[in-house]
Amino acid sequence: MRSLLWPAGAAAAAAAGLIYVALVDPNEPGHYPLCPLFMLTGLYCPGCGALRATHALTHGDIGTALGMNVLVVALIPVAAVVWARWAVRSWQGRPFAIKAPPPAIVWAFLVLLISYGVVRNLPFGHFLAP
């Protein structure tokens, strides 16, 4: 059981964060700080809308969440799988190590992230903006 302390602690911290975001609406001004990139340039970063997407998901509104930040919504299941793998390996007493993905995967993800950040600020990509 002691081996599950770290995964359980991470789950508890994530649950506390989700509860807070569910209760404190990021759509109302003054509750959360503005994105520094948006504040300085007026441009959306790849993470803009993530809190609003998370708030929508905690209220079961998948459509709104996808409209706020589709990338974050897509990455939440990935994070859940990584956490589950960590918890299972900890339960089994096996070490958990994330192997570095092949460089092609890392570069593809970086290109996706940068492209998402650029396209959501262009006129034809307005549907990706929060």
Side-chain angles (χ1 to χ4, degrees):
M1 289 309 261
R2 189 173 181 160
S3 62
L4 287 176
L5 285 177
W6 284 105
L18 287 172
I19 290 169
Y20 183 80
V21 172
L23 296 175
V24 182
D25 190 355
N27 295 300
E28 294 181 20
H31 292 289
Y32 299 96
L34 289 176
C35 169
L37 181 68
F38 183 76
M39 186 172 55
L40 293 172
T41 66
L43 298 173
Y44 298 116
C45 76
C48 281
L51 280 175
R52 287 176 276 173
T54 304
H55 178 78
L57 283 174
T58 61
H59 290 274
D61 191 352
I62 296 171
T64 299
L66 288 169
M68 291 295 157
N69 194 317
V70 68
L71 189 60
V72 166
V73 175
L75 289 176
I76 287 174
V78 174
V81 167
V82 169
W83 178 85
R85 188 167 177 221
W86 179 27
V88 167
R89 289 184 71 85
S90 294
W91 177 267
Q92 294 170 341
R94 296 170 32 196
F96 177 71
I98 298 176
K99 294 187 295 185
I105 302 268
V106 173
W107 283 107
F109 182 72
L110 286 174
V111 167
L112 171 71
L113 198 63
I114 292 168
S115 300
Y116 179 69
V118 169
V119 169
R120 71 191 316 210
N121 288 290
L122 296 174
F124 66 86
H126 71 280
F127 64 95
L128 292 174

